[in-house]
Structure formats: C-alpha cells, structure tokens
Amino acid sequence: NAGWHRFRLGAFEGTVVWDGYIHHPYETFFPNAPAEEMARLKAAHGLPVDHIPMDLNPVAMNTGDRLWLIDTGMGPTVTWWGETMGRLIPNLRAAGIEPEQVDGILMTHLHPDHAFGLIDAEGRAAFPNATLHVCDRDWAEWTDEANLGRTGTHHGPWTEGALRAVAPYRDRLAIFEAGEDIAPGIATVSVAGHAAGMVAYVFESEGQRLAFTGDVCHHQVYDLHHPEWFFHMDYDTSPEQGARAKRAIFAKCVAEGIVFHGYHFPYPGMGEIRDHGDGTYRFLPVMANPRL
C-alpha cells in the first residue's frame, strides 16, 4: 500500500512518507535491559516475541515558501538489512510530491537508514534541487575518511556509504551548529549520543510545535517506560549520553507541549509524550487517517 500520511501543523502541511521497515532481532537491542522486565513489557503490550519492528518514517514539511524533507530513508544502493526499505521516492510520488520539488533536506544524522536515500541506484542526487543541511559534529563523525581504515566495526562501511550519499550535494551543503535556527519556524536541538552530532528539528507554526527526533529512541514502549535503557553498545557513539538525551527530549516535549515524532516508531510515528509521574513516560500515537 502507498505509505503516506498528510497532516497539519498550524499553517504548515506535513506528509509522513514511509520508507519501509527493519525487523531487528532482540539480541544486542537494549543491552542494559533486564530480561524479566523486557519479557513483562512484551506480554503487557502484545509485542512480537522474536523481533522488534522498526518503521522508517521520513517526513516532508511544506512551510509555504519551501518544501523540506527530514531524513531520506535507506535508499536503493545497499540491502544490508534486507530489501524491505527504499520506498521513499515512490511513496513521495504517491503523495503528489516530486523529488525535484524538495528545496532542503534536514539530516538528523548520517547513519545508513537515514542518509543513504540521498542518492539513487546510480549514485546521482535523488533530490537534484535540494540543499543538504547537516550538523557540524555529525558531518565530522560520518565523513571522516580515517574511518575507512577501521576494521572489525561498522564505521568503515557506514562512512563509505555516507561519503557516497553526500557526494552529489557538496556544492549545496549547509553545515550548522546544534541550537541554530535553520529558517523561520525551524529550530535545532542537540540529541547527541546515538551519533555525536545528532539533532532534532522543531517546527513551529501558529503556536503548534512538532519535534523530529531521529534515533533518540527506537521503540514506542520500551524507550518510554525505560529512558535509561541504551539502544546498542556498538552503534551508539555514546550510549550513556544517548540515554540522557532521550530523557531530556521527553521532558522538553512534555513541558513545552511539543508533538513528538519517532523516526522508527510505528507509522506514521507522531504522538504525545506523557509524563507518568514516576520517572517513566508514555506515548499516545496519532493514528493515520485519510482526512486532514
């Protein structure tokens, strides 16, 4: 089915554009999670017992004067994690958006399932008219050619892929520092940890705000109940910092009434974060529907 979901944020129009999904094994996921608590949450919420389903939910935001795309999915150039991803472009077109219409691409971070969709199967820019916006610290981490010589780690192939993905955009590249505004109504917030320069983008229009948070968390139940759980000791640049960033963005969304978008949450990934009053949180999802 065509995977796109239209919504309003004040005067802005958004479209969640499904890129596909990963079925991630439980092994290595949340390495500091007690097995008995993981089992309790699985049973209580009817979660799959043998895998963690992770959707990929890039979002197009039309602010009236510009069309922005937040992250680009896995793309067609690699199938390391299966062939269930890379649906962004056909789903964009199904939603009435041509890749040539995208003015700016906002990268939360340059990991494969967020950045490799920058290019098509031939290595050309998938969004030929777009400026690429990347945080300075993230750019430094994932375009560092010294990573190419590292063995026994994901850094080599991930950096090789990132360098290939950003290559067509180097003449229209905008590097920024976390905390800077990208444009009126688009702020950035550091959520570093999973990646050293990962950022969230907070869009605001007519008093309504929505945070696109990248990989600050990966699951709509486990992360909310246990913000202290790490995602992955290998893939997180700093697991402890990542857990702190997770708790901080939850608290910010609660305190400021910001709608939360989880890139890997069940499609379309948007909802309200609620403080449960005991150091834990809950996620109340916005359900996909055919009307604005």
Side-chain angles (χ1 to χ4, degrees):
N1 295 325
W4 60 272
H5 168 72
R6 198 92 75 203
F7 64 93
R8 294 283 187 190
L9 184 77
F12 297 168
E13 180 185 82
T15 308
V16 181
V17 187
W18 191 69
D19 187 62
Y21 64 92
I22 304 169
H23 277 183
H24 198 292
Y26 272 97
E27 291 76 21
T28 71
F29 213 107
F30 299 125
N32 64 331
E36 62 275 12
E37 175 63 358
M38 183 77 80
R40 183 188 73 81
L41 290 172
K42 280 186 203 178
H45 295 271
L47 300 172
V49 298
D50 60 345
H51 70 277
I52 294 178
M54 296 166 55
D55 284 355
L56 279 64
N57 294 308
V59 181
M61 290 294 292
N62 187 338
T63 59
D65 59 339
R66 302 198 75 192
L67 182 64
W68 303 89
L69 181 64
I70 302 99
D71 288 340
T72 64
M74 191 74 183
T77 59
V78 299
T79 56
W80 296 335
W81 303 321
E83 299 182 356
T84 57
M85 293 159 280
R87 277 42 171 185
L88 175 65
I89 298 298
N91 280 328
L92 266 177
R93 289 188 166 127
I97 300 171
E98 291 298 322
E100 293 79 9
Q101 293 176 292
V102 175
D103 298 300
I105 300 169
L106 306 176
M107 297 305 310
T108 61
H109 62 307
L110 292 173
H111 284 185
D113 53 324
H114 297 255
F116 285 13
L118 285 166
I119 54 176
D120 63 18
E122 286 72 42
R124 299 170 302 200
F127 307 95
N129 299 314
T131 298
L132 178 63
H133 298 256
V134 185
C135 177
D136 55 355
R137 293 190 64 193
D138 192 66
W139 180 266
E141 182 175 24
W142 292 108
T143 63
D144 183 359
E145 295 186 9
N147 289 334
L148 300 176
R150 299 174 66 174
T151 59
T153 173
H154 64 287
H155 290 84
W158 285 24
T159 299
E160 181 181 6
L163 287 167
R164 186 166 56 246
V166 303
Y169 298 88
R170 285 183 178 267
D171 62 344
R172 43 204 166 90
L173 177 66
I175 303 294
F176 64 88
E177 295 182 6
E180 292 183 2
D181 289 350
I182 300 297
I186 308 176
T188 65
V189 178
S190 174
V191 286
H194 178 65
M198 191 169 68
V199 295
Y201 296 93
V202 180
F203 279 67
E204 180 172 4
S205 176
E206 297 180 346
Q208 299 180 20
R209 301 170 76 193
L210 173 57
F212 300 100
T213 62
D215 282 358
V216 74
C217 54
H218 291 78
H219 196 274
Q220 74 281 4
V221 172
Y222 300 130
D223 280 303
L224 279 294
H225 282 73
H226 290 282
E228 76 278 8
W229 286 1
F230 308 148
F231 165 58
H232 199 298
M233 297 300 288
D234 294 330
Y235 293 154
D236 277 6
T237 299
S238 173
E240 294 84 359
Q241 185 184 17
R244 292 193 298 271
K246 186 193 315 183
R247 190 180 294 279
I249 197 69
F250 288 167
K252 180 179 179 66
C253 287
V254 169
E256 301 178 25
I258 303 172
V259 178
F260 183 93
H261 178 267
Y263 183 83
H264 286 303
F265 281 15
Y267 166 87
M270 298 185 301
E272 178 187 351
I273 302 292
R274 287 194 176 176
D275 190 336
H276 204 243
D278 58 359
T280 72
Y281 297 85
R282 301 294 184 269
F283 179 70
L284 278 66
V286 170
M287 301 301 180
N289 68 73
R291 58 192 180 275
L292 285 174

